[in-house]
Amino acid sequence: MATATPRSHSIVFAPRIQDLLARDEKVFRIDPGKVGVSDSRLMAEIVAARPVLSTERSVYKPAAGAEIPHDSATRTIRALGQDAMAGIRKPPPLVRGMAGSWPYAGTSYLRRWLFSADPLPVSLLSKRGVTRSDTLSRLVDRAVTRWPGSADQDGRQDGPQDRPQDGRPDGGTALAGLIRGAGDTLERKQAVAMYRRATATLCDGVAALTGNALWLMGPERDRPEHRADLTAVLWETLRLLPPAWMLYRNGGAAYTALHPEIRPEDDVALFPLLMHRHPDYWSDPLEFRPERWDGVADPEKAPAFMPFGFDGARCWAKHLVVPLAERLLTVALDSRLVVHSPRQEAQVPLRSLLSVRFEARVAGA
């Protein structure tokens, strides 16, 4: 299960991921306090055993010292979907923005495409140079908290009655409108955190998926059968190189009855990456074969396939990821984006998102 050679391109995983891929057992101890699981049935039972905790969610974990209210989370999902669909209807930015180190170039390109309408300092919230510095992040957060438009000339905060119907400020995104339309300081701080998390999670995930697909397609990416069904290419990429390659659950009594290896104090790591590559579930599991999805009406219902999580714990933006990745991949192929280096063997480092690292150029640029 450890080595995959898609077409003429190969992949070298970080040592810890390589160690996981080399395991034969589907339930195994990672360390004294953690159990790994790649068994399809057991993974479904673990996810169904209890609701996901807020601290286990990347976007909706507590912010500004308080839980994210359900209605705030719902508004964020709605606003992000509105912005994403409006963004991909716009002409894409100049294709030279796709050149550079992937997946970072893809992330930056997608952010410019979807969120460039937001004013400073809001647009800085998701800049990679800012997010990598705690000090800069705090400064930008404070600046956005004082963003003009949150209070009238008398100093009164805008209330719910003052908010635009769709949350969109003039010239900005609906997500930015949620910041300006916040009713009090806490809600505003949480809206700032949600903007940063939502835009980063979506753009990073879509760029990782698109970059993985570009690498897996290899030099044959312009073959007619590939261009005819990019959606199938993306589903196969989600199988072989799922960006969300691990789901983490804090330990507790809910899991102990499911398997003798799991103790009450054990945290549990679920590995779609391993499950998606196991020969018990897939024929030719290490082969990149988009055609395996031909005629599959609902890929998410395929056995032993968990690209966005199970029912009750699915990715909140799953309905946006594949359409955005297909649009980004289409632009990349139409623009003749080519892998410049490495030519044969790409690295996949140990990160929260599984993504191939490569340098890309726009042919003829």
Side-chain angles (χ1 to χ4, degrees):
M1 289 166 52
T3 304
T5 307
R7 304 300 194 263
S8 61
H9 282 178
S10 60
I11 298 166
V12 179
F13 291 96
R16 291 184 65 182
I17 301 177
Q18 194 77 16
D19 290 343
L20 291 171
L21 290 168
R23 289 180 175 271
D24 292 326
E25 64 270 35
K26 296 179 183 177
V27 182
F28 51 90
R29 184 157 293 280
I30 300 173
D31 59 41
K34 193 181 293 92
V35 173
V37 179
S38 63
D39 178 82
S40 176
R41 179 194 57 78
L42 182 57
M43 289 172 75
E45 291 177 349
I46 288 172
V47 172
R50 65 161 172 81
V52 181
L53 304 178
S54 61
T55 53
E56 296 169 335
R57 294 183 179 273
S58 60
V59 176
Y60 299 124
K61 61 185 178 183
E67 297 281 335
I68 300 294
H70 182 268
D71 60 342
S72 177
T74 301
R75 285 198 301 270
T76 299
I77 296 172
R78 186 181 301 119
L80 185 67
Q82 180 180 332
D83 292 337
M85 293 300 102
I88 61 175
R89 287 193 293 266
K90 298 186 301 184
L94 295 175
V95 295
R96 65 172 177 265
M98 281 193 168
S101 299
W102 275 72
Y104 304 122
T107 296
S108 298
Y109 186 88
L110 197 59
R111 284 172 175 166
R112 286 197 299 275
W113 197 350
L114 302 182
F115 303 106
S116 61
D118 288 337
L120 287 172
V122 174
S123 62
L124 296 177
L125 285 172
S126 58
K127 294 289 186 183
R128 185 166 175 259
V130 172
T131 57
R132 295 178 70 183
S133 166
D134 291 340
T135 301
L136 286 177
S137 293
R138 287 194 295 269
L139 289 174
V140 171
D141 286 359
R142 290 174 185 172
V144 176
T145 301
R146 294 167 176 79
W147 179 29
S150 61
D152 63 20
Q153 293 182 350
D154 297 325
R156 179 181 61 85
Q157 289 283 343
D158 291 343
Q161 72 279 1
D162 302 309
R163 302 175 193 177
Q165 290 297 311
D166 61 357
R168 182 187 296 271
D170 293 340
T173 63
L175 268 180
L178 297 181
I179 300 174
R180 192 181 71 169
D184 55 42
T185 301
L186 175 60
E187 184 180 344
R188 189 170 178 77
K189 288 181 178 179
Q190 291 193 328
V192 168
M194 295 288 274
Y195 181 101
R196 185 193 300 281
R197 296 173 187 175
T199 56
T201 300
L202 181 66
C203 294
D204 290 351
V206 170
L209 174 57
T210 305
N212 292 350
L214 284 168
W215 181 263
L216 290 173
M217 292 170 77
E220 301 174 344
R221 63 177 61 89
D222 290 326
R223 287 172 58 180
E225 60 267 32
H226 281 173
R227 296 302 305 270
D229 195 354
L230 291 182
T231 304
V233 167
L234 290 169
W235 284 116
E236 180 69 346
T237 301
L238 283 166
R239 184 192 68 82
L240 199 56
L241 285 177
W245 62 285
M246 181 185 73
L247 300 178
Y248 200 74
R249 294 291 181 265
N250 295 329
Y255 306 138
T256 56
L258 302 179
H259 194 277
E261 183 69 31
I262 304 175
R263 304 170 306 192
E265 64 272 21
D266 287 331
D267 294 332
V268 179
L270 311 177
F271 292 105
L273 176 66
L274 275 60
M275 181 176 66
H276 292 177
R277 289 165 165 259
H278 205 286
D280 283 358
Y281 305 128
W282 303 90
S283 61
D284 300 320
L286 302 186
E287 292 295 321
F288 179 65
R289 290 172 42 202
E291 61 272 14
R292 76 172 76 235
W293 299 101
D294 291 347
V296 179
D298 189 350
E300 285 192 83
K301 291 184 179 179
F305 188 50
M306 195 176 68
F308 302 114
F310 282 110
D311 287 338
R314 292 194 187 276
C315 170
W316 50 272
K318 75 179 189 69
H319 62 293
L320 303 174
V321 172
V322 173
L324 283 173
E326 184 172 356
R327 188 78 172 93
L328 187 60
L329 185 57
T330 298
V331 175
L333 295 175
D334 288 346
S335 306
R336 298 175 62 207
L337 189 76
V338 296
V339 174
H340 174 62
S341 66
R343 294 293 186 183
Q344 296 290 331
E345 193 173 82
Q347 301 291 319
V348 179
L350 183 63
R351 297 286 189 273
S352 57
L353 283 178
L354 193 76
S355 55
V356 179
R357 300 302 202 253
F358 60 86
E359 295 286 330
R361 289 182 178 176
V362 177

